[in-house]
Protein backbone atom coordinates (compact mmCIF):
# COMPACT_ATOMS: atom_id res chain seq x y z
CA UNK A 1 0.00 0.00 0.00
CA UNK A 2 1.29 3.44 -0.91
CA UNK A 3 0.19 6.76 0.49
CA UNK A 4 -0.44 9.52 -2.04
CA UNK A 5 -1.98 12.97 -1.81
CA UNK A 6 -3.48 14.25 -5.04
CA UNK A 7 -5.63 17.37 -5.25
CA UNK A 8 -8.54 17.30 -7.66
CA UNK A 9 -10.85 20.25 -8.22
CA UNK A 10 -14.49 19.15 -8.29
CA UNK A 11 -16.76 21.28 -10.46
CA UNK A 12 -20.41 21.60 -9.49
CA UNK A 13 -22.79 20.55 -12.26
CA UNK A 14 -25.54 22.93 -11.09
CA UNK A 15 -24.55 26.33 -12.40
CA UNK A 16 -27.19 28.26 -10.47
CA UNK A 17 -25.53 27.54 -7.11
CA UNK A 18 -22.57 29.68 -6.05
CA UNK A 19 -19.96 28.47 -3.57
CA UNK A 20 -17.85 30.63 -1.28
CA UNK A 21 -14.95 28.23 -1.38
CA UNK A 22 -13.44 25.68 -3.74
CA UNK A 23 -14.47 22.04 -3.48
CA UNK A 24 -11.61 19.56 -3.76
CA UNK A 25 -11.30 15.79 -3.86
CA UNK A 26 -8.03 14.65 -2.29
CA UNK A 27 -6.77 11.14 -3.05
CA UNK A 28 -4.71 10.10 -0.06
CA UNK A 29 -4.18 6.36 -0.42
CA UNK A 30 -3.82 3.73 -3.15
CA UNK A 31 -4.32 0.03 -2.56
CA UNK A 32 -3.64 -2.61 -5.21
CA UNK A 33 -4.62 -6.25 -4.75
CA UNK A 34 -3.59 -8.99 -7.17
CA UNK A 35 -5.07 -12.46 -7.54
CA UNK A 36 -4.38 -15.39 -9.85
CA UNK A 37 -7.59 -14.55 -11.68
CA UNK A 38 -7.18 -11.11 -13.25
CA UNK A 39 -10.89 -10.42 -12.93
CA UNK A 40 -10.56 -10.70 -9.11
CA UNK A 41 -7.73 -8.18 -8.98
CA UNK A 42 -8.46 -4.52 -8.27
CA UNK A 43 -7.06 -1.14 -7.40
CA UNK A 44 -8.70 1.07 -4.77
CA UNK A 45 -8.29 4.82 -4.47
CA UNK A 46 -9.20 6.31 -1.09
CA UNK A 47 -10.06 9.99 -1.03
CA UNK A 48 -11.71 12.68 1.06
CA UNK A 49 -13.67 15.76 0.14
CA UNK A 50 -12.54 19.23 1.11
CA UNK A 51 -14.78 22.30 0.98
CA UNK A 52 -18.15 20.61 1.62
CA UNK A 53 -20.00 19.77 4.81
CA UNK A 54 -20.55 16.03 4.97
CA UNK A 55 -22.65 14.69 7.87
CA UNK A 56 -25.91 12.81 8.57
CA UNK A 57 -27.94 15.37 6.60
CA UNK A 58 -25.36 16.01 3.87
CA UNK A 59 -24.28 12.58 2.67
CA UNK A 60 -21.90 11.74 -0.14
CA UNK A 61 -21.93 8.97 -2.73
CA UNK A 62 -19.89 8.06 -5.78
CA UNK A 63 -22.26 8.24 -8.74
CA UNK A 64 -20.11 6.92 -11.57
CA UNK A 65 -16.70 6.62 -13.16
CA UNK A 66 -16.91 7.94 -16.70
CA UNK A 67 -13.30 7.17 -17.68
CA UNK A 68 -10.34 5.30 -16.18
CA UNK A 69 -7.24 4.39 -18.20
CA UNK A 70 -3.82 2.99 -17.33
CA UNK A 71 -0.65 3.97 -19.19
CA UNK A 72 -0.98 0.94 -21.47
CA UNK A 73 -4.30 2.19 -22.77
CA UNK A 74 -6.43 -0.34 -20.86
CA UNK A 75 -9.90 0.76 -19.81
CA UNK A 76 -10.49 0.05 -16.11
CA UNK A 77 -14.13 -0.51 -15.29
CA UNK A 78 -15.60 0.53 -11.97
CA UNK A 79 -16.13 -2.25 -9.41
CA UNK A 80 -18.45 -2.11 -6.41
CA UNK A 81 -16.58 -1.46 -3.18
CA UNK A 82 -16.60 -4.11 -0.45
CA UNK A 83 -19.27 -2.36 1.61
CA UNK A 84 -21.23 -1.19 -1.42
CA UNK A 85 -21.51 2.32 -2.84
CA UNK A 86 -24.23 3.68 -0.59
CA UNK A 87 -24.42 7.18 0.85
CA UNK A 88 -21.99 7.95 3.66
CA UNK A 89 -21.98 10.65 6.33
CA UNK A 90 -18.17 10.71 6.24
CA UNK A 91 -16.39 13.03 3.81
CA UNK A 92 -14.61 10.13 2.15
CA UNK A 93 -14.99 8.27 -1.14
CA UNK A 94 -13.58 4.92 -2.18
CA UNK A 95 -13.06 4.37 -5.89
CA UNK A 96 -12.61 0.70 -6.77
CA UNK A 97 -11.46 -0.18 -10.28
CA UNK A 98 -10.36 -3.22 -12.20
CA UNK A 99 -6.63 -3.76 -11.75
CA UNK A 100 -4.40 -2.16 -14.38
CA UNK A 101 -1.98 -4.15 -16.49
CA UNK A 102 0.95 -5.61 -14.53
CA UNK A 103 3.18 -3.61 -16.87
CA UNK A 104 1.50 -0.33 -15.93
CA UNK A 105 3.29 2.27 -13.82
CA UNK A 106 0.47 4.75 -13.44
CA UNK A 107 -3.14 5.58 -14.15
CA UNK A 108 -3.38 8.13 -16.93
CA UNK A 109 -6.86 9.39 -16.02
CA UNK A 110 -9.68 8.75 -13.60
CA UNK A 111 -12.81 10.83 -14.19
CA UNK A 112 -16.24 10.60 -12.67
CA UNK A 113 -19.01 12.18 -10.64
CA UNK A 114 -19.94 12.20 -6.98
CA UNK A 115 -23.07 13.61 -5.42
CA UNK A 116 -24.19 15.18 -2.15
CA UNK A 117 -27.62 14.33 -0.77
CA UNK A 118 -29.11 16.98 1.57
CA UNK A 119 -32.59 15.82 2.57
CA UNK A 120 -35.17 17.96 4.36
CA UNK A 121 -38.92 18.25 4.62
CA UNK A 122 -38.67 21.70 3.07
CA UNK A 123 -37.16 20.41 -0.18
CA UNK A 124 -39.50 17.42 -0.32
CA UNK A 125 -36.89 14.70 0.16
CA UNK A 126 -37.96 13.75 3.70
CA UNK A 127 -41.48 12.34 3.68
CA UNK A 128 -43.23 11.55 6.96
CA UNK A 129 -46.06 9.03 6.94
CA UNK A 130 -48.43 8.81 9.92
CA UNK A 131 -50.95 6.09 10.81
CA UNK A 132 -49.26 3.32 8.77
CA UNK A 133 -51.88 0.73 9.73
CA UNK A 134 -54.37 2.68 7.61
CA UNK A 135 -52.10 2.66 4.55
CA UNK A 136 -51.60 -1.01 3.79
CA UNK A 137 -51.35 -1.85 0.09
CA UNK A 138 -51.04 1.80 -0.91
CA UNK A 139 -48.16 3.71 -2.45
CA UNK A 140 -46.69 5.87 0.33
CA UNK A 141 -44.98 8.37 -2.00
CA UNK A 142 -46.52 11.56 -3.40
CA UNK A 143 -47.70 11.45 -7.01
CA UNK A 144 -44.90 13.75 -8.19
CA UNK A 145 -42.51 10.78 -7.77
CA UNK A 146 -43.54 9.27 -11.09
CA UNK A 147 -40.69 6.77 -11.51
CA UNK A 148 -40.62 5.22 -8.03
CA UNK A 149 -43.23 3.64 -5.75
CA UNK A 150 -43.10 2.32 -2.19
CA UNK A 151 -46.07 0.16 -1.26
CA UNK A 152 -46.58 -0.94 2.35
CA UNK A 153 -47.79 -4.53 2.10
CA UNK A 154 -50.14 -6.29 4.50
CA UNK A 155 -48.33 -9.50 3.74
CA UNK A 156 -50.12 -11.71 6.25
CA UNK A 157 -53.60 -10.62 5.14
CA UNK A 158 -52.81 -11.08 1.44
CA UNK A 159 -51.11 -14.39 2.07
CA UNK A 160 -54.20 -15.63 3.92
CA UNK A 161 -56.46 -14.33 1.13
CA UNK A 162 -54.43 -16.14 -1.51
CA UNK A 163 -54.74 -19.41 0.41
CA UNK A 164 -58.49 -19.01 0.85
CA UNK A 165 -59.61 -17.38 -2.40
CA UNK A 166 -57.13 -17.08 -5.24
CA UNK A 167 -59.55 -15.18 -7.51
CA UNK A 168 -60.23 -12.58 -4.83
CA UNK A 169 -56.47 -12.34 -4.25
CA UNK A 170 -55.95 -11.51 -7.94
CA UNK A 171 -58.65 -8.82 -7.75
CA UNK A 172 -56.97 -7.33 -4.69
CA UNK A 173 -53.60 -7.23 -6.47
CA UNK A 174 -55.21 -5.51 -9.47
CA UNK A 175 -56.76 -2.91 -7.16
CA UNK A 176 -53.38 -2.29 -5.50
CA UNK A 177 -51.84 -1.78 -8.92
CA UNK A 178 -54.42 0.87 -9.79
CA UNK A 179 -54.15 2.68 -6.46
CA UNK A 180 -50.35 2.92 -6.56
CA UNK A 181 -50.49 4.98 -9.77
CA UNK A 182 -47.74 3.11 -11.56
CA UNK A 183 -46.64 4.24 -15.00
CA UNK A 184 -47.62 2.09 -17.97
CA UNK A 185 -44.25 0.35 -18.28
CA UNK A 186 -44.17 -0.57 -14.61
CA UNK A 187 -47.81 -1.59 -14.58
CA UNK A 188 -47.28 -4.26 -17.25
CA UNK A 189 -45.03 -6.31 -14.98
CA UNK A 190 -46.53 -5.29 -11.65
CA UNK A 191 -49.02 -8.10 -11.08
CA UNK A 192 -46.60 -10.91 -11.88
CA UNK A 193 -43.82 -9.41 -9.78
CA UNK A 194 -46.11 -8.59 -6.88
CA UNK A 195 -47.60 -12.10 -6.82
CA UNK A 196 -44.07 -13.48 -6.67
CA UNK A 197 -43.70 -11.61 -3.39
CA UNK A 198 -45.94 -14.24 -1.80
CA UNK A 199 -44.94 -17.30 -3.80
CA UNK A 200 -41.81 -19.05 -2.54
CA UNK A 201 -40.84 -16.37 0.03
CA UNK A 202 -43.03 -17.51 2.93
CA UNK A 203 -40.28 -16.96 5.52
CA UNK A 204 -39.13 -13.62 4.13
CA UNK A 205 -39.59 -10.89 6.74
CA UNK A 206 -40.50 -13.30 9.55
CA UNK A 207 -40.96 -11.98 13.08
CA UNK A 208 -42.05 -8.41 13.77
CA UNK A 209 -41.44 -6.59 10.53
CA UNK A 210 -42.85 -4.34 7.83
CA UNK A 211 -42.95 -5.52 4.23
CA UNK A 212 -42.70 -3.25 1.22
CA UNK A 213 -43.01 -3.70 -2.52
CA UNK A 214 -40.52 -1.32 -4.16
CA UNK A 215 -40.23 -0.04 -7.73
CA UNK A 216 -37.04 2.04 -7.76
CA UNK A 217 -34.89 1.46 -10.84
CA UNK A 218 -32.69 4.52 -10.17
CA UNK A 219 -32.18 3.81 -6.44
CA UNK A 220 -33.74 7.08 -5.35
CA UNK A 221 -34.92 5.79 -1.96
CA UNK A 222 -31.97 6.38 0.35
CA UNK A 223 -33.33 5.33 3.75
CA UNK A 224 -36.54 4.26 5.50
CA UNK A 225 -36.78 4.86 9.25
CA UNK A 226 -39.57 3.66 11.53
CA UNK A 227 -40.43 5.53 14.76
CA UNK A 228 -42.87 4.63 17.51
CA UNK A 229 -45.31 7.04 19.17
CA UNK A 230 -42.63 8.47 21.50
CA UNK A 231 -40.13 9.06 18.71
CA UNK A 232 -37.90 6.03 19.36
CA UNK A 233 -36.39 4.47 16.25
CA UNK A 234 -37.72 0.93 15.86
CA UNK A 235 -35.53 -0.39 13.01
CA UNK A 236 -33.53 -3.52 13.81
CA UNK A 237 -32.28 -4.14 10.30
CA UNK A 238 -33.51 -4.82 6.79
CA UNK A 239 -33.26 -7.43 4.07
CA UNK A 240 -33.98 -7.55 0.36
CA UNK A 241 -35.30 -10.39 -1.75
CA UNK A 242 -34.69 -9.57 -5.38
CA UNK A 243 -35.22 -6.03 -6.66
CA UNK A 244 -38.73 -5.44 -5.35
CA UNK A 245 -39.14 -7.05 -1.95
CA UNK A 246 -37.98 -5.18 1.14
CA UNK A 247 -38.50 -6.23 4.75
CA UNK A 248 -37.62 -4.03 7.75
CA UNK A 249 -37.28 -5.87 11.06
CA UNK A 250 -38.78 -4.12 14.08
CA UNK A 251 -38.16 -4.07 17.82
CA UNK A 252 -41.89 -4.33 18.52
CA UNK A 253 -45.14 -4.95 16.70
CA UNK A 254 -46.28 -2.08 14.47
CA UNK A 255 -48.83 0.23 16.10
CA UNK A 256 -51.19 2.89 14.74
CA UNK A 257 -49.32 5.84 16.31
CA UNK A 258 -46.02 4.96 14.62
CA UNK A 259 -44.42 7.05 11.89
CA UNK A 260 -42.48 6.16 8.74
CA UNK A 261 -39.77 8.57 7.60
CA UNK A 262 -38.65 8.16 3.98
CA UNK A 263 -35.50 9.85 2.69
CA UNK A 264 -35.60 10.03 -1.11
CA UNK A 265 -33.61 11.80 -3.79
CA UNK A 266 -35.21 14.60 -5.79
CA UNK A 267 -33.85 17.47 -7.86
CA UNK A 268 -33.76 19.88 -4.91
CA UNK A 269 -31.83 17.56 -2.58
CA UNK A 270 -28.99 16.52 -4.90
CA UNK A 271 -25.86 18.37 -6.05
CA UNK A 272 -23.42 16.64 -8.38
CA UNK A 273 -19.71 17.29 -8.90
CA UNK A 274 -17.40 16.18 -11.68
CA UNK A 275 -13.83 15.28 -10.83
CA UNK A 276 -10.78 14.43 -12.92
CA UNK A 277 -7.31 13.26 -11.86
CA UNK A 278 -4.36 12.19 -14.01
CA UNK A 279 -0.94 10.54 -13.80
CA UNK A 280 -1.50 8.58 -10.58
CA UNK A 281 1.70 6.67 -9.86
CA UNK A 282 0.95 3.07 -8.90
CA UNK A 283 2.43 1.35 -5.82
Amino acid sequence: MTNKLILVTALCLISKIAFSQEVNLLINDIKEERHLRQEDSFIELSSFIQGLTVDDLNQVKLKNISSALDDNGNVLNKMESFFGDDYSSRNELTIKLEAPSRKSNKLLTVEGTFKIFSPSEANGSIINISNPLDLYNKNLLPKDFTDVTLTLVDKEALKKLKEEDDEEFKKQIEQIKEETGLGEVMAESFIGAFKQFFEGFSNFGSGESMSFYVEDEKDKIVKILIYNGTGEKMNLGSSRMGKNNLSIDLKEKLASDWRIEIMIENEKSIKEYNFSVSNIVLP
Side-chain angles (χ1 to χ4, degrees):
M1 184 181 292
T2 302
N3 289 324
K4 308 270 182 194
L5 186 62
I6 301 171
L7 179 65
V8 185
T9 300
L11 302 176
C12 182
L13 297 181
I14 304 176
S15 59
K16 293 181 181 179
I17 299 175
F19 293 88
S20 59
Q21 65 186 93
E22 193 173 62
V23 176
N24 297 307
L25 181 72
L26 298 109
I27 295 176
N28 63 338
D29 192 60
I30 301 173
K31 175 184 177 181
E32 188 174 13
E33 190 169 304
R34 294 285 183 178
H35 297 269
L36 292 176
R37 287 161 48 96
Q38 175 65 17
E39 55 266 35
D40 295 332
S41 302
F42 65 87
I43 188 165
E44 206 167 63
L45 310 178
S46 298
S47 65
F48 64 95
I49 299 166
Q50 184 182 70
L52 283 176
T53 298
V54 181
D55 53 28
D56 287 340
L57 289 180
N58 297 279
Q59 299 183 49
V60 66
K61 178 180 181 178
L62 180 66
K63 180 181 180 182
N64 63 48
I65 296 297
S66 56
S67 176
L69 296 171
D70 66 18
D71 56 358
N72 284 292
N74 296 304
V75 175
L76 309 179
N77 293 315
K78 178 184 176 298
M79 300 175 69
E80 185 173 345
S81 63
F82 183 76
F83 294 104
D85 292 313
D86 295 329
Y87 277 105
S88 171
S89 57
R90 302 176 64 181
N91 63 337
E92 300 172 352
L93 284 178
T94 298
I95 302 169
K96 187 175 181 181
L97 303 169
E98 293 175 337
S101 165
R102 292 182 182 272
K103 298 179 181 179
S104 296
N105 297 309
K106 60 184 178 181
L107 303 183
L108 288 182
T109 60
V110 177
E111 298 177 349
T113 304
F114 68 87
K115 54 186 179 179
I116 295 286
F117 175 55
S118 302
S120 70
E121 289 188 72
N123 66 24
S125 59
I126 293 182
I127 300 167
N128 282 293
I129 306 295
S130 302
N131 304 315
L133 290 178
D134 296 333
L135 298 173
Y136 274 131
N137 306 328
K138 298 181 185 297
N139 179 20
L140 301 180
L141 300 178
K143 292 182 179 180
D144 53 333
F145 289 95
T146 57
D147 57 349
V148 55
T149 66
L150 179 69
T151 303
L152 176 60
V153 178
D154 190 349
K155 188 179 70 170
E156 292 305 317
L158 286 173
K159 182 180 178 182
K160 183 178 179 181
L161 181 61
K162 186 178 188 306
E163 292 170 350
E164 296 177 349
D165 189 338
D166 190 59
E167 287 302 314
E168 188 61 33
F169 169 78
K170 292 177 182 178
K171 291 179 183 178
Q172 181 69 42
I173 296 299
E174 180 67 30
Q175 182 179 344
I176 294 170
K177 186 200 75 172
E178 294 175 0
E179 290 180 354
T180 55
L182 294 171
E184 288 301 319
V185 174
M186 291 183 185
E188 289 180 6
S189 60
F190 180 83
I191 294 179
F194 200 85
K195 284 175 65 179
Q196 191 178 18
F197 190 97
F198 304 96
E199 296 171 0
F201 302 144
S202 58
N203 294 322
F204 181 66
S206 58
E208 298 301 342
S209 63
M210 297 177 72
S211 299
F212 298 87
Y213 180 86
V214 184
E215 290 279 1
D216 187 15
E217 291 294 329
K218 297 181 180 179
D219 295 326
K220 289 187 174 182
I221 297 174
V222 177
K223 189 177 294 186
I224 300 172
L225 299 174
I226 315 297
Y227 295 94
N228 68 9
T230 61
E232 179 187 357
K233 188 168 77 171
M234 303 306 290
N235 300 60
L236 278 178
S238 64
S239 54
R240 295 293 291 257
M241 180 72 76
K243 293 172 56 179
N244 305 111
N245 306 327
L246 168 66
S247 179
I248 297 179
D249 296 323
L250 305 172
K251 296 178 183 178
E252 302 171 5
K253 186 175 182 178
L254 177 64
S256 60
D257 62 346
W258 285 23
R259 173 173 61 89
I260 304 173
E261 181 179 280
I262 305 163
M263 294 187 181
I264 185 169
E265 292 181 354
N266 62 12
E267 291 182 359
K268 295 180 180 179
S269 64
I270 295 293
K271 298 171 188 173
E272 296 185 351
Y273 299 83
N274 284 336
F275 64 87
S276 178
V277 63
S278 59
N279 297 318
I280 304 173
V281 178
L282 297 173

